[in-house]
Amino acid sequence: MPPAAQAADVQAAVSAAVSSPAGSPAVAPPAADFPDANGHPFVGRADELAELERVARSAVGAGRSRLVLVSGTAGVGKSSLAAALVRRLEAGGWTTAWGACPEPPGAPAAWPWTRMRETLASTGHVPPPATEPTPADAVAARFHRHRAIGSYLAAIGTPVLLVFDDLHWADEETLALLTALAADPGTGPLLLIGTYRSTEISTALTEALGRAARAEPTRVYLGGLTEPEVRDLVDALTDREPTAADARAIHARSAGNPFLVRELTRLWESEGDAALHAVPAGVRDVIRHRLATLPETARTHLRQAAVLGQDVDLDVLVALAQDEDAVLDSVESALLTGFLVEPNADHLRFAHALVQETLYDDTARARRARWHAQAADVIERLHPDDVEAIAHHLLRAGNRATPARAAHYARAAAERAERRFAPHQAAALWREAVTALDRSDRPDPPARREAVMGMVRALAVTGDLAEARRHRAEAVAEVVTDPVAAARAIGAFDVPAIWTANDDEALSARLVTAAERTLAALPPGHDAERARLLLTIAMERRGDTGGRGLAAAREAEAIARDLDDPALLAFALNGRFMHAFHRAGLAPHRSRIGAELLDLAARHGLVTFEVLAHLVLVQSGAALADLASADRHAAAADA
């Protein structure tokens, strides 16, 4: 049978499995028969589930990807809705995989896709490409990796459902993959479900939602369950028969939030009707009330676990508590009472983020600071490469951690964030490093300038140019007596630029004056610093009619070639590009600059300059009426 006919047969078979000829859902078990990942019964949400099934049929009919974004507050049932859809589509012949985004810091990049790969591999499909970015040619590698994953999904032979859970914690690699698959026409029938908390939308997620809008996603917002649905959920949770008054009280106290309904129902079942009236309306009070039933030692260990985060390494918790048997006894109690779940023998997870947050907030700040400091020591000993987690704890340890140590790990975590192309996280970590250094009684001006300029670079890459300029001006103004230190501060802003007009002419003039003054005072033997001063002059004098900017760029380029410094040469080529617009007919010259910059950046993993090179070639291609080439480079830059 020809491949096209086979594909048509697959689509027809699956369409029949998920819908009747009239277009209504096929006969399937009730949604309550499909518990979520934690074994909780699923009730209500009939309209939302029908909408997801409609989109699933649309994906099959179109033979391409469809995206659904499910949002709502914590505990409202986003994951449960996705799990119910998974079970239904699995019954209809779909291939499904699930990946939850772990709470940062310290989470591996694209962890949800790693879990999906494992699931797909376990069902007999050859694993798709890994997602870890390569050091060189990273932007192109990401583009080809996403295309390879789309082709892999298309080759599975059945419609595929991928669930990206908890996108409010997603890293940039995960969000890039989700939006790329949503826009890829070659995935075959693919349904993408993304869930996130509507009250915790990160900057990275905001940007991803903007990109995803081009795919015209279906958006589902979950509110609270109705009173009849709350009663159905209570019936499914307990053998005790609730009266209308019981169900009404639970609904009023929980506002229909399924998590709060479950918590209140457990209390009602174990303590009777009075418990509903004794517990204030709110999850924090519910958790406090349930915590009181545990031994004091168990409560202490749970608070220590909460300091470690939503996911808990049992070895770290044991080392923090310094009593393995007592910790294991506490863990057993917490598992029985539903505070924790046990993914495996070495790790624990709080049953809900609100449990961890309540425990954390209810712990005195002084105690939290000491536990954070101890946790940093333990992780440094057990997992010394986990610089993100060490930095997280040191930065929250207050005066219990030395500023220099906190800044050291914040810097290491920031640099790692830059390498994995997470500029927003890098900016936050650089800022933390600056704050830590500012509270030290032993000032370290060079370290502070380095941290400030790291923050400036990250802010510029994320688009916060106004704050980047302000901090840059302050850093440059602080150095006046040491020409080498001044040169390093002034020349540290090696952020690619494409516009030929300055955003702040006054600041540019001050920077040029400082660079020229420092250049004259710079002693011999500091060629790299000299080149960066020259490039500051070239970049800040972009668009002028004199020859100083171009001469500075050419001199810096010659130095960079003599030093064989790829990063410096890339910046120098950027500077020369800025001075290739002073007359007509220079588009071929700009094209040659772009081609050399692209080759250089790709070979040496200079990701931001690789993006710049594509944009240079878009501009020169359009100027030369080579629109096909311009389109190719625009697509590469976008990818």
Side-chain angles (χ1 to χ4, degrees):
M1 179 180 295
Q6 290 178 338
D9 283 354
V10 169
Q11 284 194 8
V14 177
S15 295
V18 298
S19 66
S20 67
S24 60
V27 176
D33 288 351
F34 295 111
D36 68 14
N38 294 316
H40 299 136
F42 178 79
V43 301
R45 313 299 191 196
D47 291 342
E48 292 88 348
L49 192 57
E51 175 67 3
L52 297 186
E53 291 181 327
R54 182 196 65 77
V55 180
R57 292 193 293 271
S58 170
V60 173
R64 60 158 297 160
S65 62
R66 291 287 185 265
L67 173 62
V68 178
L69 298 170
V70 181
S71 61
T73 59
V76 80
K78 305 176 292 294
S79 300
S80 297
L81 175 64
L85 180 69
V86 166
R87 307 304 190 276
R88 286 205 166 195
L89 294 189
E90 283 179 344
W94 285 59
T95 298
T96 69
W98 187 293
C101 303
E103 185 177 8
W111 178 247
W113 175 243
T114 300
R115 298 305 304 271
M116 292 177 189
R117 290 180 70 240
E118 294 171 354
T119 299
L120 295 169
S122 69
T123 61
H125 300 290
V126 177
T131 61
E132 186 66 21
T134 55
D137 202 15
V139 172
R142 176 190 274 184
F143 171 77
H144 291 298
R145 183 167 61 249
H146 291 171
R147 291 301 303 272
I149 291 171
S151 299
Y152 162 79
L153 295 172
I156 286 177
T158 68
V160 178
L161 166 63
L162 300 182
V163 178
F164 290 78
D165 203 15
D166 293 332
L167 288 177
H168 46 277
W169 290 327
D171 63 282
E172 294 186 16
E173 282 293 318
T174 296
L175 294 170
L177 174 61
L178 176 64
T179 54
L181 291 177
D184 189 345
T187 63
L190 170 66
L191 180 60
L192 301 162
I193 303 291
T195 75
Y196 61 93
R197 293 182 187 174
S198 55
T199 56
E200 298 183 23
I201 302 177
S202 65
T203 302
L205 178 56
T206 299
E207 294 174 355
L209 293 175
R211 297 195 303 270
R214 290 176 291 183
E216 299 182 357
T218 299
R219 301 177 185 271
V220 176
Y221 179 82
L222 297 185
L225 298 173
T226 65
E227 186 175 319
E229 289 170 341
V230 166
R231 179 162 187 169
D232 290 341
L233 182 53
V234 173
D235 282 335
L237 288 168
T238 177
D239 293 332
R240 185 179 177 189
E241 181 68 20
T243 65
D246 293 331
R248 188 160 50 251
I250 293 174
H251 180 261
R253 299 268 181 171
S254 67
N257 182 292
F259 167 70
L260 298 183
V261 170
R262 293 193 295 269
E263 295 300 303
L264 288 167
T265 300
R266 289 191 183 101
L267 288 173
W268 170 74
E269 183 180 33
S270 62
E271 300 182 20
D273 294 341
L276 292 178
H277 304 286
V279 178
V283 66
R284 192 179 300 277
D285 293 329
V286 172
I287 293 173
R288 287 171 179 162
H289 190 76
R290 290 180 56 214
L291 276 172
T293 65
L294 293 177
E296 176 61 31
T297 300
R299 295 201 297 271
T300 298
H301 291 155
L302 274 178
R303 288 195 292 270
Q304 289 175 319
V307 166
L308 296 179
Q310 176 72 9
D311 292 286
V312 181
D313 185 320
L314 190 53
D315 287 339
V316 175
L317 179 59
V318 167
L320 183 61
Q322 299 182 354
D323 191 334
E324 182 172 17
D325 288 338
V327 167
L328 294 177
D329 288 341
S330 298
V331 166
E332 288 178 351
S333 297
L335 290 169
L336 289 173
T337 51
F339 285 106
L340 297 174
V341 293
E342 196 174 27
N344 55 55
D346 298 318
H347 294 86
L348 304 168
R349 181 177 176 82
F350 280 95
H352 195 281
L354 295 180
V355 175
Q356 182 260 335
E357 293 163 6
T358 300
L359 284 160
Y360 185 87
D361 291 341
D362 283 355
T363 303
R365 291 184 179 180
R367 191 182 298 273
R368 287 202 311 247
R370 283 160 172 78
W371 283 343
H372 276 302
Q374 293 168 19
D377 292 341
V378 171
I379 297 171
E380 187 177 47
R381 185 176 73 253
L382 297 179
H383 309 293
D385 191 50
D386 194 355
V387 295
E388 292 89 350
I390 298 170
H392 169 80
H393 290 294
L394 290 175
L395 293 169
R396 283 152 186 79
N399 292 330
R400 306 304 298 182
T402 64
R405 186 179 177 212
H408 167 77
Y409 277 103
R411 169 186 170 177
E415 290 172 343
R416 187 172 291 182
E418 289 177 338
R419 287 195 295 271
R420 70 169 185 269
F421 325 120
H424 291 285
Q425 186 176 0
L429 287 163
W430 281 121
R431 192 187 301 276
E432 294 272 26
V434 173
T435 301
L437 290 167
D438 282 345
R439 62 182 178 83
S440 175
D441 56 2
R442 296 181 179 179
D444 187 347
R448 190 184 187 280
R449 282 195 298 273
E450 183 178 0
V452 168
M453 292 310 299
M455 180 176 65
V456 166
R457 289 193 303 271
L459 288 171
V461 172
T462 62
D464 195 346
L465 294 175
E467 188 174 5
R469 285 196 298 269
R470 180 171 63 82
H471 286 294
R472 185 187 183 195
E474 292 172 357
V476 171
E478 289 176 359
V479 183
V480 293
T481 59
D482 184 345
V484 176
R488 289 172 180 167
I490 295 169
F493 191 72
D494 54 354
V495 177
I498 188 72
W499 301 112
T500 55
N502 283 315
D503 295 315
D504 188 334
E505 290 290 355
L507 175 60
S508 292
R510 292 201 302 273
L511 289 170
V512 168
T513 298
E516 294 281 19
R517 182 178 62 246
T518 305
L519 196 62
L522 190 67
H526 294 279
D527 291 343
E529 288 82 0
R530 178 178 180 82
R532 290 186 179 276
L533 287 171
L534 290 165
L535 286 171
T536 300
I537 295 168
M539 299 298 281
E540 300 303 330
R541 295 194 62 164
R542 68 186 79 174
D544 66 4
T545 56
R548 175 54 176 156
L550 179 57
R554 285 174 172 167
E555 185 179 350
E557 181 184 354
I559 294 173
R561 292 187 189 279
D562 287 342
L563 294 176
D564 194 21
D565 185 332
L568 187 58
L569 179 56
F571 196 25
L573 290 172
N574 191 176
R576 192 149 61 84
F577 168 78
M578 285 299 177
H579 294 274
F581 293 88
H582 55 280
R583 63 173 176 81
L586 292 177
H589 177 57
R590 295 193 295 273
S591 180
R592 289 191 294 272
I593 292 174
E596 181 179 0
L597 182 58
L598 181 60
D599 176 70
L600 178 73
R603 284 190 289 110
H604 295 282
L606 306 173
V607 179
T608 53
F609 282 101
E610 188 173 357
V611 174
L612 172 67
H614 285 298
L615 296 178
V616 168
L617 292 168
V618 169
Q619 191 280 331
S620 59
L624 293 168
D626 187 355
L627 301 185
S629 175
D631 282 345
R632 287 196 304 272
H633 288 291
D638 192 46

